[in-house]
Amino acid sequence: MATAIVLAISGTAWAQTPPEETAPMLDEITVTAQKRSENLQKVPISIQVLGTEQLDDLHVADFEDIATQFPSVSFQRLGEVPSNFQVYMRGVASGGDGNHSGPLPSVGVYVDEQPVTTIRGAIDVHPYDIQRVEALAGPQGTLYGASSQAGTVRIITNKPDASGITSGYGLELNAIEDGGTGHVAEGFINLPISERAAIRLVGWDRDDAGYIDNEFGERTFPTSGITINNGALARDDYNTSDTTGARAALKIDLTENWTITPSVMSQRQDINGSFGVDPDVGELSTRQFYPQTSEDRWTQSALTVQGKIGNFDVTYAFAHLDRDLDTESDYNDYAYWYDTLFGYGTYFYDDNGDLINPSQYIQATNGYKKRSHELRVASPSDRRFRFVAGVFWQDQDNDIQERYRVDGLADVLSVTGWEDTIWLTRQQREDRDQAVFGEMSYDITDRLTATAGMRFFEVDNSLRGFFGFSDGYSSNPTYGEGACNTQSLPPYPNAPCEVFNKRVKENDSIGKFNLSYEFSDDAMVYGTWSEGYRPGGINRRGTLDPYLSDYLTNFELGWKTRWADGRLTFNGAVFRQDWEDFQFAILGQNGLTEIKNANQARISGIEADISWAVNYNLRISGGLAFYDAELTENYCGFTDANGNPETDCPTPEAPSGTRLPITADFKGNLTARYTFDVGEYEAHVQGQVRHEGKRSTDLRTEERGILGDLDAYTLFDLTAGFGRGNWAVDFYIRNVFDERAQQSRFTQCAEAVCGEQAYTVVARPRTFGVRFSQDF
């Protein structure tokens, strides 16, 4: 049984009323999870919130920091391309996601009204000048669509305000034990332009220090006897990251009822080095022979128009995301282990016919474009009958170029027009979807409310282009130049020909029904049936069959309560989710990702969160979730002629009852913050403990046995600081006991071949930091 207990910050704002006036209370939190403004305690869904104050208190610096604070959220950074990461919720994870031609994400990420989830995962938005972050657990398909199958994370920014000038900045220095030093510089200014218009400018620069050493080493290839070394790349603390970005928003009140808010946000992140360690080399060491770099540049342009037509609220949201991701990846392990096991090196020679170093490295450029439009109407929220309805359409394009290089490779072995290239992927992926959606609520009585929702959608996904070897290396007639020559295929931009052109179109609908009952103004229970989906698509190896859509059905019973005259909130839910024919990605032949449907799974669990203003000085917050996530049918590893997964096989790759990977059997954190006065200064101390339990690395029995499980870990963070007026100084220690927390594990090729060369992504070692901030 896979269980996870999550203790997470609830994100509640805390009232600062003096003791002599009234007792301490928790402030009301307003959220827009259901696409209208509502009190968090009145929203009948499982939702947790981090407010501005909590983001600052916890020194949240990136999306990974956000994910660790919420119940039901799992986070996996891919070590070989560390700018790629995947977010999972409620244990809905099969592993192997994040490839440019892999399944769409199961969790949607939004910045304000605009989706920022790409095919490879969400962009890593630097969380500064943020009003709040909302985590909506469970299927959000009716309101948020395909990429919200298991849940949605919404980052809400602070908006321009015409009422006055405000500004602020923060400066931070940090040092990693036995690693390097880094810094953060960030600031914002809000400038009124007129009584009806204002602009808000935000900027940040973050330098994350390295802590993994690339140790010097040699490698001899058995077939040729050629020996190489990594002397040119060996150095200490080589896994560094630099992030620079800015955000600008303009808000214009056209009339009393109509507002227009254009905005643009841009960020560049340069990463050097792999974030995976090799335990055979050292505790915080690895041995890489070729560059591991990532240059991630993106710009998100958005336009939101809000207004009223009569008593109805009208919202139009447009977004355009342009992301360029250029990466270099060491693929030397692939070459070494294939040579060791299969004599792979005999196939690599130069123009003179002499054997050469068969090491491969990948140079990739991926260009993403994402355009979305949403138009919706909401009726007055104070009416007995109310609704939200709208239309949505979205286009996603991915221009894929991946070049697998071998230095000195003979021209006859290189893909035509691509020197030293043993394999070339040049493909264009397009994902289109459009939908009509709506939810309506009716107050049956003053206490009992029913809500029903539907989403009717149509998806059109395609993949076309070239993949494979040169004709001189392999004349396979189904792909590569072998197919070009034998089938007289037409040319393709910057590639010998178009090997395949496939398309998947489908339409369907999903639904939601909810009943909520208020026992009092401080206590509510609700029951929900809801559905989420993820579209099917085309495999990167175009000769394979397409994979089918998968669906998640959720049955949930939840509660929202307030106690002790508003000093304590206790919310939670119990649920069961059925995951039908879920998409499962593996590394197949030639190290290419293959997606197949993998039968059925079930996730059952309990979630809860608590916020407590103990007194005027002490506040405590936490949460709780239990999970049981497992297969309910055998995974045989193959499908029938119609693409449906087979369940009847003598030796399944994963038998019924196998626990789903990635999600921990125990996960959590607990935070306590104590504030007090020291003379004229306001001071505080804060402690947080985070725990994540044992996790499996793969769904399949054999591969899981090769990679092993990820060990449980516990991390402690401490913060202390003081301030006066508009400035504050904070000192912190993260990972106080310097725990080697195992977060994920990966190999450069299929586990059955490269399994002896596995890498583990570990949490950052003990880190000391000091931060000075000031607001005006």
Side-chain angles (χ1 to χ4, degrees), residues 126 183 185 203-207 241-246 266-270 296-298:
H126 181 70
H183 73 263
W204 56 88
D205 180 80
R206 189 175 88 236
D207 176 17
S241 175
D242 296 304
T243 305
T244 303
S266 185
Q267 181 173 285
R268 173 171 176 158
Q269 186 177 63
D270 294 294
D296 190 358
R297 309 176 307 277
W298 54 263

Side-chain angles (χ1 to χ4, degrees), residues 402-457:
E402 295 209 340
R403 182 182 182 185
Y404 292 68
R405 300 195 58 170
V406 179
D407 291 337
L409 189 66
D411 289 343
V412 69
L413 300 180
S414 300
V415 176
T416 302
W418 294 83
E419 183 182 10
D420 296 340
T421 301
I422 187 65
W423 177 283
L424 177 68
T425 300
R426 276 292 294 128
Q427 296 175 351
Q428 184 72 30
R429 174 171 176 169
E430 298 181 355
D431 293 78
R432 309 278 187 262
D433 63 281
Q434 53 192 7
V436 177
F437 65 90
E439 288 191 1
M440 57 183 181
S441 299
Y442 180 71
D443 296 332
I444 300 172
T445 70
D446 292 342
R447 298 293 185 182
L448 180 63
T449 299
T451 299
M454 290 287 291
R455 189 179 190 96
F456 300 90
F457 62 88

Side-chain angles (χ1 to χ4, degrees), residues 106-118:
S106 62
V107 173
V109 179
Y110 280 68
V111 174
D112 295 322
E113 296 283 348
Q114 291 76 26
V116 295
T117 310
T118 68

Side-chain angles (χ1 to χ4, degrees), residues 162-334:
S163 64
I165 299 176
T166 56
S167 61
Y169 67 92
L171 300 172
E172 177 183 319
L173 292 175
N174 54 67
I176 301 175
E177 186 155 315
D178 296 326
T181 58
H183 73 263
V184 180
E186 51 197 10
F188 78 91
I189 184 169
N190 181 87
L191 293 171
I193 299 174
S194 68
E195 292 182 355
R196 290 183 174 271
I199 188 170
R200 195 177 189 96
L201 306 174
V202 186
W204 56 88
D205 180 80
R206 189 175 88 236
D207 176 17
D208 293 327
Y211 50 88
I212 296 175
D213 300 335
N214 192 24
E215 301 283 359
F216 176 81
E218 296 181 337
R219 174 167 272 176
T220 300
F221 291 90
T223 298
S224 62
I226 293 174
T227 298
I228 64 172
N229 67 65
N230 65 344
L233 295 175
R235 66 177 184 274
D236 294 342
D237 309 328
Y238 94 128
N239 62 319
T240 59
S241 175
D242 296 304
T243 305
T244 303
R247 185 174 74 244
L250 172 66
K251 182 179 179 182
I252 303 174
D253 295 329
L254 301 175
T255 68
E256 291 184 0
N257 293 325
W258 286 90
T259 298
I260 182 172
T261 308
S263 64
V264 61
M265 177 169 52
S266 185
Q267 181 173 285
R268 173 171 176 158
Q269 186 177 63
D270 294 294
I271 297 176
N272 183 77
S274 171
F275 282 64
V277 300
D278 185 344
D280 293 334
V281 178
E283 187 179 58
L284 286 173
S285 301
T286 188
R287 189 169 288 138
Q288 300 295 310
F289 292 84
Y290 289 86
Q292 296 268 113
T293 65
S294 172
E295 183 181 294
D296 190 358
R297 309 176 307 277
W298 54 263
T299 299
Q300 168 87 353
S301 304
L303 174 67
T304 302
V305 180
Q306 295 174 302
K308 283 184 174 293
I309 297 179
N311 291 328
F312 294 92
D313 295 319
V314 179
T315 301
Y316 168 72
F318 162 79
H320 177 85
L321 175 64
D322 195 336
R323 183 186 188 190
D324 293 307
L325 178 60
D326 300 337
T327 60
E328 295 178 296
S329 303
D330 186 356
Y331 212 45
N332 180 265
D333 291 352
Y334 174 93

